[in-house]
C-alpha cells in the first residue's frame, strides 16, 4: 500500500536467551493511528526502540518508505522523518519552551556546530519551533521554563520537541502516562489532530484512549504479534480476551 510510512519486517530482538521480539511485522500508515497493546513485558517498547534505532534488530528489517533504515542510528532516522518521544528525557528543564523546540529544530541541521551558530541563523529554526508550539497548543507558553510546566504541559512539550524535527512518523511510548483525565482528553484531541498530517504508532496502557483514537491495533504477547486488526475486531476477539485480558 502506498500510504505505508514505516514498516517492520520480521524483526526479532534477543537479549541473551530472552526473545523480546520474535519475527514481528507491522506497518504505520499515513493518516492512521496504530496502537500496540499487550501485557507488561510483551515487547512493545523493544519494538518501538528497534523502529527508532535505539535498539539494533537481532534480525529482520525496518523500512522508512522504500528506504532500508535497519542499520541507521537514531539521529540519522530522525533526519529522515522518524520522530520518537522519550518521555521527558529530551526536555532541557532549565530552558524555555521555545528554546527546547528551537534546539530540536536545529538538531535536523547535519552541520556540526549548527546548534551554536550565530543568532541571525536562528530564524528558520525559530519558525519551526513556533509552528510545533502552535500545533501542540502551547502558544503563550514560549518563554516559560520547561521545569515550571505541569506534567501534562511537559508531555505536550515533549511532543512539540518531536514535531520541531519535522517527522512524518511519530513513535510515542505511553503519551498519556501520569496524566489526569482532563489532560488525557487534551492529549487525545491533540493526537487526533496530528494524525491528519502524520502516521502515529503508539504504545499506551490506557485502553479507553486506545479504543478512542486507534485505527489499527496490534496485540503483542510474549514478543509475538497475536493479532493486528481494527479496534472492533480486536475487542471482539476471543483469543485476545483470553491471552491479554485473561477471560
Ligand atoms: N535492555 C534489555 N536487556 C535485557 N532484557 C530486556 C531489555 N529491555 C527489555 N528487556 C526484556 O524484554 C522483554 C520485553 O520488554 P519490553 O520493555 O519491550 O516490554 P513492554 O511490552 O514494553 O513492557 P511494559 O508494558 O512493561 O513497558 C521483557 O522481558 C524485558 O524484561
Amino acid at each position: 500500500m502506498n500510504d505505508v510510512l514505516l514498516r517492520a519486517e520480521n524483526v526479532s530482538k534477543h537479549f541473551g536467551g530472552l526473545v523480546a521480539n520474535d519475527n514481528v511485522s507491522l506497518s504505520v500508515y499515513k493518516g492512521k493511528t496504530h496502537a500496540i497493546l499487550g501485557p507488561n513485558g510483551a515487547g512493545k517498547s523493544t519494538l518501538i526502540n528497534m523502529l527508532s534505532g535505539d535498539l539494533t534488530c537481532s534480525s529482520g528489517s525496518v523500512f522508512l518508505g522504500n528506504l532500508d533504515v535497519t542499520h541507521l542510528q537514531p539521529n540519522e532516522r530522525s533526519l529522515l522523518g522518524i520522530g520518537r518521544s522519550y518521555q521527558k528525557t529530551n526536555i532541557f528543564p532549565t530552558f524555555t519552551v521555545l528554546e527546547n523546540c528551537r534546539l530540536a529544530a536545529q538538531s535536523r541541521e547535519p552541520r556540526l556546530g549548527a546548534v551554536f551558530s550565530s543568532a541571525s541563523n536562528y530564524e528558520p529554526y525559530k519558525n519551526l519551533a513556533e509552528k510545533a508550539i502552535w500545533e501542540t497548543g502551547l502558544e503563550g507558553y514560549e518563554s516559560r521554563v520547561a521545569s515550571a510546566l505541569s506534567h501534562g504541559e511537559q508531555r505536550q512539550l515533549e511532543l512539540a520537541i518531536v514535531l520541531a524535527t519535522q517527522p512524518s512518523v511519530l513513535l510515542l511510548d505511553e503519551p498519556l502516562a501520569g496524566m489526569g483525565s482532563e489532560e488525557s482528553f487534551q492529549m487525545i484531541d491533540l493526537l487526533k489532530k496530528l494524525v491528519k498530517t502524520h502516521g502515529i504508532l503508539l504504545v499506551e496502557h490506557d485502553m479507553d484512549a486506545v479504543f478512542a483514537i486507534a485505527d489499527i491495533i496490534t496485540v503483542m504477547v510474549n514478543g509475538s504479534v497475536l493479532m493486528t486488526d481494527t479496534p472492533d475486531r480486536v475487542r471482539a476477539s476471543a483469543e485476545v480476551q483470553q491471552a491479554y485480558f485473561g477471560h
Side-chain angles (χ1 to χ4, degrees), residues 24-77:
V24 173
S25 295
L26 162 156
S27 296
V28 184
Y29 297 91
K30 183 158 191 241
K32 303 276 183 211
T33 298
H34 191 144
I36 311 173
L37 289 180
N40 291 336
K44 306 178 295 290
S45 298
T46 301
L47 176 59
I48 291 234
N49 284 330
M50 285 192 287
L51 290 168
S52 64
D54 289 285
L55 281 176
T56 56
C57 303
S58 301
S59 61
S61 304
V62 177
F63 291 92
L64 181 65
N66 293 322
L67 187 68
D68 187 340
V69 297
T70 314
H71 302 291
L72 298 187
Q73 296 297 316
N75 62 321
E76 294 171 308
R77 297 191 202 194

Side-chain angles (χ1 to χ4, degrees), residues 47-138:
L47 176 59
I48 291 234
N49 284 330
M50 285 192 287
L51 290 168
S52 64
D54 289 285
L55 281 176
T56 56
C57 303
S58 301
S59 61
S61 304
V62 177
F63 291 92
L64 181 65
N66 293 322
L67 187 68
D68 187 340
V69 297
T70 314
H71 302 291
L72 298 187
Q73 296 297 316
N75 62 321
E76 294 171 308
R77 297 191 202 194
S78 165
L79 285 172
L80 291 168
I82 300 178
R84 158 86 202 263
S85 70
Y86 287 91
Q87 300 207 1
K88 286 207 224 166
T89 55
N90 58 344
I91 295 179
F92 291 103
T94 58
F95 285 16
T96 66
V97 166
L98 183 62
E99 286 164 345
N100 266 287
C101 293
R102 182 177 57 75
L103 283 170
Q106 275 175 263
S107 75
R108 292 218 51 157
E109 171 62 68
R111 204 160 36 88
L112 202 65
V115 169
F116 304 106
S117 62
S118 80
S120 60
N121 295 337
Y122 285 170
E123 209 52 34
Y125 305 120
K126 189 163 165 266
N127 292 342
L128 286 174
E130 283 170 346
K131 181 166 175 276
I133 288 167
W134 176 80
E135 282 181 305
T136 50
L138 280 172

Side-chain angles (χ1 to χ4, degrees), residues 5 16 21 29 32 84 89 115 129 137 168-169 177 190 194 204 236 246:
L5 295 176
N21 266 216
Y29 297 91
K32 303 276 183 211
R84 158 86 202 263
T89 55
V115 169
S168 55
V169 188
L190 178 54
L194 290 176
E204 180 53 59

